[in-house]
Amino acid sequence: MNPARAYLRSRRGRPMTWSDRYAMAFGAGLAVVVVGQWAATAVRGLAIGVDAAGLGPVLALAAVSYAGYLAVARALGPVVLPAADAAWLVLSPLPRRSVLGRSAAVLLVLALGGGAALGLAVLSAFGAPDGLILRLAAALVLGAGATVGGMAVAVLAQASHSWDVLLQVVIAGTVLAAVLVAVLGGGAGRQALLAVAGAPAAAAVAAAGPVAAVACALAHRAWTTLDRIPARAILGSSARTGRVASAAVTMDPGALTWAVEDEHWRGRVLGSRPWPRLAGRKALALAWQDWRRIGRRPGRLAVLAGAAVLPAVAAQAAGGMSAMPAGVLLAGTLAAAAMCTTGARRDAADPALARLLAVDRRALAAARALLPALLAAAWSALALAGLAAAGALSGGAWWLLGPATAPACAAASLRMAGRPPVDHSLPVIDTPVGALPAGPLIWAVTGADLALLGCLPALVALTAPASPPGSSLIVQALTAAAVLTAFLLRQGRSGRESAT
Amino acid sequence: MSEVIVAARGVEVTLGGVPVLRNAGFTAAAGEIVAVLGENGAGKSTLLRCLAGLHPPLRGRIDVLGGPPVDAAVFWRRVALVGDEPAWYPGLSVQEHLELAGVVHPGGRLTVGAALEVFALDGRADMSPLTLSTGQRQRLSLAMALLRPSRLLLLDEPERGLDTAFRARLAEILTGYADEGGTVVMATHDLTLATATRARLVTLEAAS
């Protein structure tokens, strides 16, 4: 142990008592029992044949999860230190590997745990009609190899730009593979996936060897690279993770998204363009800020467009149109609308610029509703077209429900943008499903409530898609327009209330 | 006699039961600069928030431009407030923030190009405000407030983060604003800045 850590440990409060050791051992034992029970059930369930219908969606979901794991590792560091260690130990003459060693060990444990879960998930899709132990062992090694290797590449990317480029390629490739599996897994690609599922257990074992070897080599290289990770990378990632931890502790996701947003723009040269001259349209001129921002992040639009396949994937996994794919559709539409409400969020969090620009609140809300409505309409129409193409919806122009729900989702996204931080002083409510803290609950449903209310006719039509959506379409359009109108009227009133 | 723009009489404010302002008051006429001085905790920023309608006083009366201040667009079209650093709109450059202020407030006092030059930001026009130094961000805040037309300028420690040379230039800018008929009320610790703007000094005593 490096001398600084030994000193810090010696000064850290009272030494561990037998009571502490008992509590720790009891907790660990309890965790083993709970996880072991779950794992045993999961393993017993593996001894079945392949589920041909669910194979594509489960594999796509596993691939998306793996891409998300790599993306989070890259975004957070992955090698990070607590704020005090980052401030005092990184900029000291101590060998950097000894300072970062504990973080690396934590990453290895996380990667091994994630790998086991990934391997089990993939094996549950392929099934293990024979050679369960061999297949299980191979799946665990392949999963751990993928996650440990991926984490090692993320550590290397922290120290080197070329590894960072490789990591980004791996993430993009994994997402692309997920989309292909999701789209083709139900049709042309199903035979190929079934052929992989039907491969003998020995083939899986044979594949596990090289994967494990490559993962070990990458992990070794990452370990030796710890000494060369630049201090600025450690300090930057530690600050980011500190903000994430702070947002998690206070349960304030808004703070987290601002940290990510500001991090993206800091240090960029943007290339100023003239502001459009919208004579007499001050609200539209101010709302244009969101149009310009979204235009400067085309990658987000591409990811959003790609995500339009998710409701179809959910419908395939659920075996048809039901509440789950409809919920995914609504959540996705709301997410698409909420993606372009940063101006409203900024002004709600800090109204200093809004006061300086002095635009009427209701007119501004109406102008700011245009872009979320447009994006929600486009995404929802695309997703509904995907559902129709996948065979989950038939007999009519279902995609028209997308534009019909868009005004309600725009109102909901603006309501979300204007909500205050979580109020942790509110009481905990006893409910039939357990105790729920009122503050986070109110925060979570603010905005979603309007979306649910405004999209109710569409949700009813989608969960029982027996007939073409003709009459539902009109009811939905009227409901969504009413929700948006009521929201805008309320905006004007709340503006006057705050003015007095 | 010049039109009275700000009239505050007997203003009292308590925060958490602790008196922050006690019997504070002053008037400011059109074309006048008033510098509110006082030690830390004397209530300078609180008085400015009261003048901006952001904090109702416990007692006393405040009139701004002929009526009580209100936190509404109609009030902010005539009053500009520069306090703590604002949260910048993500994805916009320095120049685009200024353009936005110019488009939303037609008939501004300065063009965007002139504002960039006067506030020494022309070398940073294409950068995100988050990339600027503390003093440069303060200059951008001041530029956005002074680019647009207004009748009253409320400034809370406008010298924050500014170098000595730019403080002298700021004094000229504020004097020019007042010469055009605008009124400035600024809370400041910089007596040199207050003197350079020929401001009338109002000193607040700590209330507790």
Side-chain angles (χ1 to χ4, degrees):
Chain A
M1 183 182 294
N2 85 41
R5 283 209 188 284
Y7 174 77
L8 290 171
R9 177 168 289 187
S10 71
R11 311 290 293 178
R12 196 173 288 160
R14 64 183 173 82
M16 190 177 271
T17 64
W18 282 107
S19 169
D20 295 334
R21 292 191 178 95
Y22 168 75
M24 193 182 285
F26 183 78
L30 200 63
V32 167
V33 169
V34 171
V35 174
Q37 207 168 25
W38 171 82
T41 310
V43 169
R44 272 197 301 274
L46 295 174
I48 53 167
V50 61
D51 172 16
L55 186 56
V58 173
L59 286 181
L61 197 62
V64 167
S65 305
Y66 183 61
Y69 160 82
L70 293 180
V72 168
R74 180 175 179 268
L76 293 184
V79 179
V80 296
L81 290 172
D85 284 0
W88 296 107
L89 299 184
V90 173
L91 302 178
S92 72
L94 293 168
R96 189 149 295 163
R97 195 192 298 168
S98 73
V99 173
L100 302 178
R102 194 164 59 173
S103 299
V106 171
L107 290 178
L108 181 63
V109 171
L110 286 177
L112 287 171
L118 182 69
L120 276 177
V122 173
L123 187 60
S124 71
F126 282 126
D130 58 352
L132 174 62
I133 299 300
L134 275 181
R135 286 182 190 271
L136 179 61
L140 291 177
V141 171
L142 283 169
T147 50
V148 170
M151 187 62 85
V153 172
V155 172
L156 291 163
Q158 212 170 349
S160 146
H161 179 67
S162 53
W163 280 100
D164 189 40
V165 171
L166 175 69
L167 180 60
Q168 290 182 58
V169 169
V170 170
I171 293 171
T174 310
V175 171
L176 184 65
V179 172
L180 286 176
V181 168
V183 173
L184 301 176
R190 181 176 291 188
Q191 287 309 317
L193 293 177
L194 288 175
V196 174
V205 174
V211 168
V214 171
C216 287
L218 285 169
H220 180 260
R221 183 156 185 172
W223 174 253
T224 56
T225 304
L226 286 181
D227 265 335
R228 297 195 300 276
I229 296 182
R232 66 173 187 283
I234 302 291
L235 296 177
S237 57
S238 299
R240 272 197 301 279
T241 309
R243 284 195 288 267
V244 172
S246 164
V249 167
T250 58
M251 287 189 280
D252 184 5
L256 180 59
T257 54
W258 281 135
V260 173
E261 184 79 29
D262 288 347
E263 191 69 32
H264 175 81
W265 297 110
R266 186 172 285 119
R268 282 179 191 258
V269 177
L270 298 169
S272 306
R273 292 205 302 270
W275 212 257
R277 299 280 154 186
L278 300 160
R281 300 277 188 272
K282 295 177 183 177
L284 275 177
L286 181 47
W288 185 253
Q289 174 263 325
D290 277 319
W291 293 76
R292 184 153 289 182
R293 172 186 160 275
I294 205 80
R296 285 180 169 158
R297 301 202 72 172
R300 284 196 165 191
L301 287 178
V303 171
L304 186 68
V309 301
L310 289 179
V313 173
Q316 278 193 340
M321 202 59 206
S322 63
M324 197 264 276
V328 172
L329 179 70
L330 177 63
T333 310
L334 189 55
M339 207 175 90
C340 47
T341 56
T342 49
R345 285 186 58 215
R346 212 46 143 185
D347 286 346
D350 178 358
L353 276 189
R355 288 182 187 128
L356 206 54
L357 297 168
V359 175
D360 177 71
R361 187 181 297 200
R362 185 187 295 168
L364 182 57
R368 279 180 166 159
L370 287 177
L371 181 58
L374 187 70
L375 269 188
W379 191 89
S380 184
L382 204 59
L384 284 162
L387 281 165
L393 296 171
S394 59
W398 286 95
W399 67 269
L400 284 172
L401 275 177
T405 54
C409 288
S413 66
L414 288 174
R415 181 164 153 80
M416 284 170 72
R419 64 191 164 182
V422 177
D423 183 355
H424 293 290
S425 66
L426 292 176
V428 175
I429 308 167
D430 280 323
T431 71
V433 292
L436 289 174
L441 188 67
I442 290 172
W443 186 90
V445 300
T446 303
D449 49 0
L450 271 194
L452 201 59
L453 180 70
C455 300
L456 205 54
L459 289 173
V460 170
L462 285 169
T463 46
S467 58
S471 57
S472 305
L473 195 61
I474 298 166
V475 176
Q476 174 55 57
L478 290 173
T479 307
V483 164
L484 180 59
T485 306
F487 174 76
L488 293 178
L489 290 173
R490 170 82 187 153
Q491 283 292 299
R493 201 173 70 184
S494 59
R496 279 199 299 279
E497 279 166 2
S498 70
T500 53
Chain B
M1 185 182 167
S2 297
E3 179 191 1
V4 173
I5 302 297
V6 176
R9 286 181 297 276
V11 176
E12 288 191 29
V13 173
T14 59
L15 293 177
V18 178
V20 176
L21 279 175
R22 186 172 287 163
N23 198 27
F26 71 94
T27 59
E32 190 178 15
I33 300 178
V34 173
V36 182
L37 307 173
E39 61 191 44
N40 293 135
K44 301 183 295 297
S45 300
T46 306
L47 179 59
L48 240 62
R49 288 181 62 79
C50 290
L51 297 179
L54 302 177
H55 194 107
L58 187 66
R59 289 192 191 82
R61 182 179 173 84
I62 294 175
D63 286 312
V64 175
L65 293 159
V70 289
D71 182 14
V74 66
F75 177 79
W76 294 116
R77 280 187 205 118
R78 298 182 295 166
V79 179
L81 169 70
V82 178
D84 292 334
E85 182 186 344
W88 307 104
Y89 288 128
L92 296 195
S93 67
V94 167
Q95 181 174 328
E96 286 168 339
H97 273 90
L98 291 170
E99 289 230 14
L100 180 55
V103 170
V104 172
H105 294 287
R109 298 179 57 255
L110 298 169
T111 63
V112 172
L116 286 169
E117 193 183 329
V118 168
F119 288 87
L121 290 167
D122 33 5
R124 300 285 184 275
D126 286 339
M127 303 190 88
S128 162
L130 298 169
T131 311
L132 304 184
S133 70
T134 308
Q136 288 170 331
R137 293 201 300 274
Q138 175 70 353
R139 276 190 249 157
L140 178 57
S141 295
L142 291 165
M144 285 188 75
L146 281 148
L147 178 145
R148 48 158 287 190
S150 63
R151 297 192 64 195
L152 172 62
L153 205 51
L154 299 172
L155 307 175
D156 190 2
E157 297 188 27
E159 73 276 11
R160 193 180 318 172
L162 299 180
D163 56 61
T164 313
F166 191 80
R167 288 183 189 200
R169 194 190 292 189
L170 177 62
E172 290 171 17
I173 295 168
L174 295 180
T175 311
Y177 176 84
D179 289 343
E180 292 170 15
T183 303
V184 180
V185 178
M186 61 175 171
T188 181
H189 289 289
D190 188 344
L191 199 56
T192 311
L193 175 68
T195 310
T197 55
R198 303 190 300 275
R200 182 158 60 83
L201 306 183
V202 173
T203 304
L204 295 182
E205 301 294 336
S208 54

